[in-house]
Structure formats: C-alpha cells, structure tokens
Amino acid sequence: GEMIGMMIASALVRQITSRLIKIAGDEISLQWKFKGKVDKMVEKMKYLAAVMHDADEKVRRGGRHGEIVGLWLMKLKSLSHDLEDLLDDLDTKNNEAKLKVFFSRNNQAYQWITRPRNLEDLGKRIEEIKNEGMSFNLDPEARVEQSRKKETFSANSDRGTTAGMQGRSAEKDKLIRLLLRTEANKISIIPIVGLGGIGKTTLARSVFADKRVNVFDIQAWVFVSEKFDLHKIVRTIIRSIDTNINLDSNDLEFLHNILRGKLAGKKYLIVLDDFWEEDVDNLEELKQMLQHGSNGSKIIVTTRQQSVVKKMTTGYLAHETERAILPVHESDRINLGVLPTDDCWELMKIRAFGPDDDQIPFEQIGYEIASKCGGIPLVANAFGKVMSENKDIKAWQDIKVRMVDLGLRGEHQKDTLESLKLSYYFMKLEFKICFAYLATFPKGFIMDTNRLIQQWKALGYIYSEHDGKSCIDYLLGMSFLQISGPPSASQSVAHANASVELTMHDLVHDLAKVIIGDEFLVLDADDATGLRTSKKDIHCRHAELIQYKNQSEVFKYLPKKLRSLHIRDSQKWQLPRKAFSRSKYMRVLDLACSVGQISEGQSTSSKIRLPRSIKKMKLLRYLDATGLPVSSLSKSMHTLQNMETLIMSNCSLETLPDNVCSLHKLCYLDLSGNRSLNNLPTLLGKLSKLSFLNLSGCSILQEVPKSMCQLTCLQHLDMSECRAIQNLPDKFGSLPNILFLNLSGCSKLTKLPDSVNLESLKHLDLSSCHELENLPQDFGNLQNLVFLRLSDCYKVSVLPETFCQLVHLKYLDLSDCHGLRELPACFGNLSELHSLNLTSCSKLQVLPDSFCKLFKLRHLNLSYCMRLEELPRSLGDLKLELLDITAVTLHDLPDSIRGMTTLTQLLVSSAQEAVLDKGVLNP
C-alpha cells in the first residue's frame, strides 16, 4: 500500500502550491512583515510541484531507488498538510484584517497579522526536502498531463444498468424464470454467487427493475455487508414497505411483530445484497423473521461464498413442512463466472469511446488490455473510463505493459485489487484525493451527493459544485461509485434535482483504504488502549469515532491535526463542553445522527447543546448535526467565519440567532424538518453567497423574511411542506439565479407574486398547493422551465394565456387538478413536451386541436378523465410510446391511432375493450 500513499502526495503538493500562490498574491499579504519568507516558500514549492510526475514514475518503477523517493514523498506529504494548515490560518487572519480595515478605515490593521509560530520551522523543512529532492535528479519536464479532450461521461448512470449486463442475458432470463415460478409450501432463496466485481449486484438490480417481476406485492432491497446486523435488515425491509413508520424501539421482538404484520399473506421479493453471514443461529433467526410471507415469495441473496449457501440449507426452517425457507436446487442457483474477453472489450468500449470516435486503430491494443482484466467487469469498467481520458495508442500501450496479467484466474481477489490500483494510478489527477477521502465512510454506507460535494469543498479538494459533479460522474464512469438502492422504474425526472444517493463497491472501498493509509483512523470509544496510541498518530488527518456513549475522555485522544471527524452510530449522547478545544485544524465536523435512533417525540429534557468549544474551530467549513435534538445554536456561532455548509436538518430548532447572518461565506444551509422553527432572521438576505437553502417540512413557519429576495446567488430553494406559509414576499419572483424551486405541499399558499421573472428556473414543483387559485399572468416568463408539477392544485381552473410560451418544457404533471376546465388553445406550442400527465382531470372535456403539434410527446396519461369524450382526430400522428386511457368513456377512438407504430404500452380498462375491438389495434 506504500506506493499508493505516495501517489496521493503528488496530487496534494500541486493543489497546495496553487493555493499558496493565490494567498501570497493577495493585496493584504503585501503588508505582511514576513512576506519575503512566504515568497521564498512559494518558489520552492513550485519546483517541487514540477518534479512530482517524475517522482511518481520512479516510485512506480520500484527498486531501492523507488523506495527512497517514496519515503521522501511521504515526508513531503506531511509537510504539505502542515503548510495548508498554515495557509488557512493566514487566510482567516487576512479576512479578519480586511474586516477591521473596512470598519476602522485604518491601514495599520494589516500590521496586526502576527507571524505564524511555525513559519520558521516550515521554511527550514521545505529547504531540507527540496535539497534532498535535488539529489534524486528529478526531471521537472517529465510527462505533462496531456491536454484533455472534451470529457465524455459515456457510461453514465442512465446507461449504467444496461451496459453492465454485457454477456449476462442467459443468467438474467434464468433468474426471472425462477422468480416467476410458483411453488407450494415454500419460500425460495435464490443465491447469486461469484467473485467481487463480477456483477452480482448489477444482475440483481437489473432483474429487480424488470417489468416482468411486477407480480410481487412487496419489493425490498437490503444491503447486508460483512457486519451482519439483524436489526438493520428488519428495519430496512419495514421501511421499504412503509416509509413513514416510527421505529423508536430497537427491540428485536417489537420489530419482528411489525414485520410479521407487514408481510402476512403478502407475496414478497427481498434482495439481500452482499451477504457473508455463516452463523447458523443468526441465519435461523433471519429466516424466522422472513417466514411470514405467502407462498411463492422469493429471496435473492448475492454472496461471494458458496459456504454461505450451504449453511442456508441447514436448520429447522429449511425442513419445515408448512412453509419451508431454503435455497433452490443446486442446478437452479446462479453462479456468475468470469466474462470472456469479448464481453470485457464490449464493456470497455462503452466507456472508452464517444459516438464519433474512430475505434479501428484501437481494436487490437484494446482487446489485449481487455484480456488482462481477468473477466471481472469492475476492472474492465475502471480501465475503460481511464482509457477514455487518454485516447492515444502510446498511452494505451503504457497501460497494457503495466497491467498485472489477471489471466482468468480471478479467484485471487488480491490481483483484482492490484489491477484497480493501477487504474487509480492512471486516474485523473484532480480527482485522486477526492476518491481517497471516500475511505472515511464505512463499507456499504449510503452517501448523499450534495453532502459529499460540500465535504470535498470544505477540505479544499475541489473549488466548486461543478467540479464535484464532474468528479462524481467520473467515478461513476469508473464504477468506483454506484447509484445506491434498488433501481425502480419510477426513478424518473421527478427527482431530477433530488440529491442522488451513492455507494461504493466493497473492493473499491478496500482500494480507498489502502490509498488513504495512515491518514485515516477509526477510533473506538470503548477501546481505551487503542485511543491512547491514536493520539500519537502524527499522520492522521481524518477520523471516525464509533461506539460513543458519553465517554467524554475520548476527545482528549483526538489526533491534533484532524481535518475531518465523523461520529457514527452513537445512541443518545451529549458532547462534553471542551470536546473540540484542541481541534483547531478541523474543516469537517459530521455529527449526523442516523434518524430513527432518536425517537420522534423527544421530551424537552433530552435537548442537547452543541459544545461551546466549537468556536475554537476557526477553520471549520462544514458542520452537519442532522437529527440531534438541538433547540438553539450558540451565540458564538458567528465566530466561525469560514463556515460554508451548515446542516441542521431534523433538529429541534425553534429559532436561529441573528448573528448566523454574518457567516459571510455560507453557501449551503439545510434547516429541513425543523417542525418547531417559528421564524427566520430578518437579515437572512445578508448571506450573499447562499446558493442552497432547504426549509422543507418547517411546518409552523408562517413567513419568510423580505430580505430573502436579495439572495442573488440562490440556486436551489426547497420549501415543500411549509404548511403554514400564506404568501411570499412581492420581490420573490425576481431571484435571478434560481434553478430549482419546490413549493409542493404549501397548502395555505393562496397566490404567487404577481410578477415572476425567474429567468434561470428549470424545475418548479407546485403540487398540492390546495389553496392556489391561479398562476400569475406572466407565468410564461419562465422561459427556461423544463419540469413543472401542478398535481393536486384543486382550485386552478385555467392556465394563463402566456403558458404556451414555455417552449423548453419537457415534463408537465397536471394530475388531479379537479378544477381544471380546459387547456389553452395554443397548447401545441409546447414543442419540447415529452411527458404529460392529465390523470383525473375530471372537468376536462376536450383537448385543444393544437394538441396534435406536440411531436416530441412520448408519454400521455389521460386515465380517469371522466368527461373527456373524444380525442383529437389526428392524435395518431404523434409518436407516442405510452398512452393510458383507463376509465375514459370514449365513444370512439380516432382511426389514426391504428397507424401508431411507436406504442409500447396502451393501458385501457375492460369497458373500453369493446371500443378497441372495432379493429383499431391488433394485440
């Protein structure tokens, strides 16, 4: 793992050098008495950044020389971290000085910046390291990164599932046959067995999402992982049946009873993904929990171990006569073998080439690389993505030469890890550090995209949200990240802006752990001796604290230079006041409590306060206290002038202190689910950098401050389920940069501001605004709107004339608008419309003639439009793929429908079949 730890060093040195140049060039620093010293440091770091590539090469070639350079890189890595701490410290002082100058108009303020204590020491260390480096004769000109072609994220999430199925169609059909097979007196377990990275989960996901398996009453997906936790499994199943259920108690008996009620008489399909458990008693207990489904229920288990399947065939419940739970017969089990080279090459091509690339010159070399992937799709995907970055024969030759030949003996997962290491070596430089950071999340952890990007930003790995999205796309492209959870047909655009949830493959997690090496520690609050040694850990920059149950002495042992701390799965707790008094370099503090551990109706006595020592963390940029019963923030919050992300979701906040508005760098504020929050600070508009604000579920908040209209950087505003809000400030309609606005469930809102000029808005959700009577006349000004949801707006009877100017609108949902009498005559001008839902618009009698101009319309749902008696004559000219006319009492269908060759789904109800029988559609 050593070599890899150094790879990250070179990425760090470059990143920190560019920051150093930026800070040293700041106007304030010209006034520092010690400016000369900092400038010398800049020069030396520039030299070091230039020789990094050659240093990487020498380490990679190995041998004694490589080893020495490697140790030198490790020293350099440690120095870079310390240098960055110094920079952040100076930066913070710079900003304080700027404020002082601003208020006192006195230029002397600059002189107050004291010389940082460790400046001399760092200067000496850089000098020594540079001299040592010079003795290695490193070449500053060695391979400069090739200029990147336009990036193609070809195998992006949407193509991911189909692309991943290369060479597995027989297995998929077999699995679906087994799922649909009816069996008396038993619940079958269908194992999918194979190596890590071979595609077990991909196969299960693709079947789970297949329309053919929609015969089950209940479908649930559980990620199990090496640590078998029955509570977690049962909770996950219950939650996927009933999302709103309150599961206060952690008592297994209590959970078992709920599950029994939910599964009784139901035919279920449950996927247990990544299963390792072999303890017979645990397996028996799990089967007991699952035996309440009806016959024909199925359990899919993905596992790397045949022995797990063997153990499942034992035990009392496997031989029960009434309802046995046991694996299917051996010949029906699905064993995924390694993929043939042809299929690996096909997988790689999907990722490596864009639609216009000439593939011919690459055929031979590409095929040779594919033959070295050991038939493991995970490896093929990672290399395909890396190859797409460097599309030239020489670069590919280089990759081929260095690949460990996995042959087809993939049983050695060590070799798979070696291959993945190599793909990491070739990975895009700026994303290497971001990837290594993923090791700080436990295996199987579900990461929220937005929060992950904010953490990367807080640690200085990326500069903007856009960089973060590119990095996530890139890692998805390499299969180093995967979109979490069961794929469902309904993962439509409805959630285009909902934050996507991500997980990592186990083997990829192992890789990240190897890379981050001793920079990351897991601190176990129960293990006192382990804690004492961790304090001495000079390299540690990231830590995860587990098993914390108010053992307050734990905090004495936090490594001094920690940059991120994650406190995970702790039960009800109080942090000591001085918890963080020594953590002055902390950038990310993640205290998010997994919701469900803290019960819904928390009594006031159990309110907690955030420790006072938080104010010592001058460099803190990210604080997440989701789920902690905190009723107010401390008055000293405003001292955290570097704060960029503040997440206080599902806390018990009643009010926000006014001085939060002086956090001038704050760009991400999440206050969702604070059901006791009754007002926001009047000066909210002073948060001039705020781009993300979530107030969803603040159900007693009656108004938002007028100053909110000054938030010119705001891009994402979620006010869904703010049920007490009656009106919005007049100028609300002129937020210049807003892209996403969700007002669904604002059930007291009677009108929107008269003028709406939200020229950037793409996504607007007004569903369930029950009191909203009409849309503003100039609604058509929302020129860039792509997605509009107005379902359950009962009082809206007509749409404004200007509605037809929404020429970019693709998705329109008007379902359950019971008052809607007609659509505007010019409705056909919505030329980009792709999907239209008019379900249960019970007053709608006709569709306008212009309707037949919607040539891009693919999905049309008219079900339960009870008064709709006929469809426009030339409806058949449209290229519809889905038409739903369930329970519409049509006298006749237009003849033109007969010519619709594009339809893949036509949904009707029995009464209409007579109309259809007139030979309109041949089945």
Side-chain angles (χ1 to χ4, degrees):
E2 284 303 301
M3 154 188 149
I4 296 257
M6 298 145 201
M7 286 187 195
I8 201 176
S10 55
L12 265 173
V13 171
R14 295 178 185 200
Q15 177 210 332
I16 286 161
T17 307
S18 69
R19 282 204 54 202
L20 187 62
I21 295 170
K22 200 160 127 240
I23 288 183
D26 190 342
E27 72 213 92
I28 288 192
S29 58
L30 302 175
Q31 316 268 345
W32 296 342
K33 305 189 195 92
F34 47 89
K35 170 100 169 86
K37 284 209 161 44
V38 175
D39 285 346
K40 278 187 190 142
M41 284 166 127
V42 172
E43 282 317 304
K44 289 170 193 159
M45 285 302 286
K46 276 186 185 166
Y47 162 78
L48 290 169
V51 298
M52 277 303 101
H53 213 286
D54 195 27
D56 266 358
E57 270 302 306
K58 292 200 165 39
V59 173
R60 228 200 37 70
R61 288 195 202 116
R64 182 80 193 107
H65 189 55
E67 223 168 286
I68 298 170
V69 177
L71 290 168
W72 173 76
L73 272 179
M74 293 307 260
K75 278 190 252 178
L76 181 53
K77 180 165 89 165
S78 177
L79 168 81
S80 304
H81 279 314
D82 291 343
L83 187 57
E84 191 175 24
D85 287 339
L86 169 93
L87 293 184
D88 273 341
D89 204 21
L90 273 177
D91 208 19
T92 305
K93 286 180 174 151
N94 262 359
N95 288 328
E96 284 169 359
K98 271 183 195 160
L99 290 171
K100 282 182 184 157
V101 170
F102 180 72
F103 289 122
S104 66
R105 302 269 175 261
N106 161 10
N107 259 347
Q108 287 307 300
Y110 293 140
Q111 305 299 324
W112 303 335
I113 294 186
T114 47
R115 171 183 298 190
R117 271 210 316 262
N118 47 354
L119 187 69
E120 305 288 329
D121 166 50
L122 275 173
K124 284 194 196 110
R125 277 169 65 197
I126 294 184
E127 182 62 27
E128 284 163 18
I129 283 185
K130 182 188 167 203
N131 293 339
E132 190 182 342
M134 293 185 79
S135 69
F136 302 139
N137 299 324
L138 297 171
D139 173 7
E141 294 308 310
R143 189 189 115 174
V144 178
E145 290 286 295
Q146 293 147 353
S147 64
R148 305 269 177 215
K149 293 204 187 65
K150 196 169 97 293
E151 305 199 353
T152 53
F153 297 130
S154 49
N156 217 341
S157 43
D158 47 345
R159 283 175 60 188
T161 33
T162 45
M165 291 310 296
Q166 185 67 37
R168 298 285 188 214
S169 50
E171 287 90 344
K172 180 172 175 177
D173 292 340
K174 175 177 172 180
L175 186 49
I176 288 181
R177 269 204 315 280
L178 289 170
L179 290 178
L180 300 181
R181 199 162 71 186
T182 47
E183 288 158 320
N185 301 341
K186 72 170 179 196
I187 291 175
S188 297
I189 299 174
I190 306 170
I192 304 177
V193 187
L195 294 168
I198 202 92
K200 301 180 292 295
T201 305
T202 308
L203 174 62
R205 280 176 66 107
S206 121
V207 166
F208 199 87
D210 196 292
K211 292 198 177 69
R212 290 173 283 178
V213 303
N214 284 353
V215 296
F216 294 95
D217 306 317
I218 290 172
Q219 285 186 304
W221 184 286
V222 188
F223 179 85
V224 184
S225 83
E226 286 173 71
K227 202 174 116 211
F228 181 81
D229 178 350
L230 198 54
H231 290 81
K232 186 187 122 182
I233 295 174
V234 176
R235 268 171 194 282
T236 308
I237 296 172
I238 296 174
R239 279 245 154 83
S240 61
I241 303 170
D242 177 357
T243 39
N244 301 322
I245 193 160
N246 179 359
L247 299 175
D248 283 354
S249 164
N250 224 346
D251 173 48
L252 207 52
E253 189 57 29
F254 164 78
L255 293 172
H256 189 166
N257 287 335
I258 292 187
L259 188 61
R260 178 183 301 150
K262 298 279 180 203
L263 294 181
K266 295 279 202 299
K267 184 167 156 186
Y268 67 69
L269 167 60
I270 292 176
V271 178
L272 301 174
D273 187 26
D274 197 30
F275 202 92
W276 295 78
E277 188 58 31
E278 295 189 27
D279 179 87
V280 179
D281 298 335
N282 282 344
L283 291 175
E284 197 68 0
E285 209 173 348
L286 173 66
K287 289 181 193 171
Q288 257 167 357
M289 297 277 179
L290 297 178
Q291 67 173 353
H292 305 294
S294 68
N295 290 327
S297 290
K298 301 281 195 285
I299 301 166
I300 294 177
V301 171
T302 72
T303 178
R304 292 191 204 173
Q305 316 287 356
Q306 286 290 358
S307 48
V308 168
V309 185
K310 260 207 194 73
K311 290 279 176 10
M312 286 185 165
T313 52
T314 59
Y316 168 71
L317 284 171
H319 305 291
E320 168 79 62
T321 45
E322 281 296 291
R323 183 169 304 139
I325 293 196
L326 79 166
V328 290
H329 186 271
E330 221 155 304
S331 61
D332 285 336
R333 297 177 195 165
I334 293 186
N335 293 309
L336 289 188
V338 292
L339 280 182
T341 301
D342 289 5
D343 286 320
C344 278
W345 178 222
E346 286 306 317
L347 269 184
M348 290 174 113
K349 283 201 285 201
I350 293 171
R351 309 216 169 207
F353 297 114
D356 307 325
D357 288 340
D358 177 13
Q359 303 184 7
I360 298 165
F362 294 98
E363 271 296 330
Q364 190 189 346
I365 175 83
Y367 193 83
E368 286 169 18
I369 293 177
S371 71
K372 290 185 157 195
C373 288
I376 306 249
L378 182 66
V379 175
N381 286 337
F383 276 100
K385 179 70 193 163
V386 167
M387 285 148 67
S388 75
E389 291 293 310
N390 305 300
K391 257 180 264 180
D392 76 4
I393 302 279
K394 205 174 146 316
W396 285 25
Q397 286 285 1
D398 196 23
I399 291 175
K400 188 192 108 179
V401 172
R402 298 174 182 197
M403 276 184 88
V404 193
D405 192 348
L406 276 187
L408 289 177
R409 54 165 216 282
E411 68 272 8
H412 302 301
Q413 295 274 260
K414 282 211 302 292
D415 297 335
T416 311
L417 197 58
E418 282 305 311
S419 285
L420 291 176
K421 268 188 207 171
L422 186 65
S423 69
Y424 175 80
Y425 176 79
F426 284 103
M427 195 170 140
K428 216 168 170 179
L429 186 80
E430 53 268 44
F431 297 151
K432 283 183 172 180
I433 313 177
C434 294
F435 172 69
Y437 178 69
L438 299 179
T440 61
F441 298 94
K443 267 191 183 174
F445 190 83
I446 293 177
M447 298 171 268
D448 171 277
T449 312
N450 280 345
R451 293 182 187 195
L452 177 59
I453 290 176
Q454 296 304 320
Q455 288 179 35
W456 281 339
K457 217 170 114 207
L459 291 158
Y461 300 160
I462 54 173
Y463 289 121
S464 68
E465 258 93 89
H466 178 263
D467 295 344
K469 291 202 168 84
S470 307
C471 181
I472 282 173
D473 278 341
Y474 185 85
L475 293 170
L476 281 168
M478 282 186 80
S479 284
F480 275 15
L481 278 176
Q482 294 161 343
I483 290 179
S484 142
S488 60
S490 67
Q491 272 178 351
S492 63
V493 304
H495 310 291
N497 272 54
S499 187
V500 181
E501 298 192 320
L502 304 164
T503 57
M504 269 171 99
H505 191 282
D506 273 8
L507 278 174
V508 177
H509 191 277
D510 294 341
L511 173 69
K513 266 216 142 89
V514 169
I515 292 167
I516 203 163
D518 53 8
E519 282 197 28
F520 170 61
L521 273 183
V522 177
L523 306 171
D524 184 340
D526 278 343
D527 168 20
T529 38
L531 285 171
R532 284 194 197 94
T533 52
S534 68
K535 184 179 178 182
K536 301 190 187 72
D537 209 305
I538 50 167
H539 294 297
C540 179
R541 297 289 189 280
H542 307 281
E544 175 185 39
L545 176 61
I546 55 174
Q547 303 294 335
Y548 177 68
K549 309 179 198 69
N550 296 346
Q551 306 95 321
S552 53
E553 68 285 357
V554 169
F555 293 96
K556 286 193 215 127
Y557 300 117
L558 290 182
K560 207 166 85 206
K561 294 182 175 173
L562 268 194
R563 293 169 170 224
S564 76
L565 174 66
H566 306 263
I567 301 185
R568 306 229 191 257
D569 55 55
S570 40
Q571 309 279 319
K572 315 246 172 23
W573 42 280
Q574 186 73 40
L575 294 170
R577 257 178 44 199
K578 292 190 169 162
F580 304 116
S581 48
R582 292 169 53 258
S583 305
K584 61 177 214 184
Y585 296 115
M586 193 81 77
R587 316 304 204 272
V588 169
L589 181 58
D590 176 8
L591 309 171
C593 204
S594 57
V595 189
Q597 293 179 345
I598 287 192
S599 62
E600 317 263 314
Q602 276 248 313
S603 62
T604 37
S605 60
S606 59
K607 292 273 161 45
I608 68 168
R609 301 190 74 97
L610 292 175
R612 236 182 245 169
S613 51
I614 279 192
K615 65 170 188 270
K616 291 273 181 21
M617 300 186 179
K618 288 279 194 277
L619 304 182
L620 194 65
R621 297 186 188 137
Y622 177 103
L623 172 62
D624 183 352
T626 298
L628 295 184
V630 177
S631 58
S632 64
L633 288 173
S634 81
K635 295 276 188 289
S636 58
M637 224 26 203
H638 69 284
T639 57
L640 301 176
Q641 282 299 310
N642 281 306
M643 184 74 81
E644 295 172 350
T645 304
L646 180 59
I647 302 175
M648 301 292 298
S649 149
N650 294 314
C651 298
S652 312
L653 286 180
E654 285 157 23
T655 142
L656 269 188
D658 286 343
N659 62 19
V660 162
C661 302
S662 65
L663 298 176
H664 64 108
K665 288 187 180 177
L666 196 68
C667 51
Y668 189 103
L669 178 59
D670 184 347
L671 298 168
S672 57
N674 282 295
R675 285 174 293 197
S676 322
L677 185 68
N678 50 40
N679 63 357
L680 292 170
T682 0
L683 296 175
L684 192 73
K686 282 182 68 177
L687 295 171
S688 58
K689 296 239 168 81
L690 200 65
S691 68
F692 179 103
L693 177 59
N694 188 350
L695 299 169
S696 160
C698 294
S699 44
I700 64 166
L701 190 65
Q702 296 194 351
E703 57 176 10
V704 292
K706 288 198 172 63
S707 70
M708 189 167 173
C709 308
Q710 295 158 19
L711 297 174
T712 50
C713 290
L714 197 62
Q715 294 186 353
H716 181 112
L717 174 59
D718 189 344
M719 290 175 55
S720 55
E721 305 300 324
C722 286
R723 297 192 199 118
I725 287 199
Q726 298 183 11
N727 50 30
L728 298 167
D730 291 339
K731 297 236 173 78
F732 187 84
S734 52
L735 288 166
N737 285 306
I738 198 148
L739 298 169
F740 173 97
L741 175 58
N742 188 348
L743 295 168
S744 68
C746 290
S747 44
K748 289 222 170 95
L749 192 64
T750 51
K751 64 186 274 289
L752 295 172
D754 288 334
S755 94
V756 287
N757 300 324
L758 307 171
E759 54 221 35
S760 311
L761 192 66
K762 284 187 167 171
H763 186 295
L764 174 61
D765 192 339
L766 294 167
S767 56
S768 301
C769 288
H770 301 319
E771 295 299 315
L772 191 65
E773 297 194 1
N774 45 37
L775 299 176
Q777 278 313 309
D778 60 0
F779 194 75
N781 286 352
L782 304 177
Q783 287 288 312
N784 282 305
L785 207 58
V786 174
F787 177 99
L788 174 60
R789 222 168 138 191
L790 290 164
S791 52
D792 295 286
C793 290
Y794 304 142
K795 294 197 171 175
V796 173
S797 55
V798 290
L799 299 174
E801 267 308 300
T802 59
F803 193 85
C804 305
Q805 293 164 21
L806 303 175
V807 290
H808 289 110
L809 197 63
K810 277 189 177 169
Y811 303 94
L812 174 58
D813 184 354
L814 291 164
S815 56
D816 292 292
C817 287
H818 302 314
L820 189 67
R821 294 195 305 271
E822 59 180 9
L823 296 176
C826 56
F827 195 77
N829 293 358
L830 302 175
S831 52
E832 287 293 316
L833 202 60
H834 174 278
S835 165
L836 173 61
N837 189 350
L838 291 166
T839 303
S840 303
C841 287
S842 43
K843 290 204 171 130
L844 201 60
Q845 295 183 355
V846 290
L847 298 176
D849 289 334
S850 66
F851 204 82
C852 300
K853 289 182 2 202
L854 298 171
F855 291 117
K856 292 199 173 171
L857 194 64
R858 296 294 174 264
H859 295 178
L860 175 59
N861 191 337
L862 300 169
S863 57
Y864 299 94
C865 287
M866 299 302 197
R867 300 209 180 153
L868 193 64
E869 295 186 351
E870 57 176 6
L871 299 176
R873 280 278 144 246
S874 46
L875 189 70
D877 297 350
L878 301 182
K879 297 190 167 55
L880 289 181
E881 288 165 11
L882 179 145
L883 174 60
D884 188 343
I885 44 173
T886 309
V888 184
T889 44
L890 296 171
H891 301 313
D892 203 357
L893 271 177
D895 288 346
S896 61
I897 286 193
R898 196 176 290 170
M900 271 194 165
T901 49
T902 49
L903 267 190
T904 53
Q905 254 185 314
L906 174 69
L907 302 168
V908 293
S909 45
S910 49
Q912 298 160 294
E913 288 175 9
V915 179
L916 292 176
D917 276 346
K918 298 178 183 169
V920 173
L921 270 175
N922 305 320

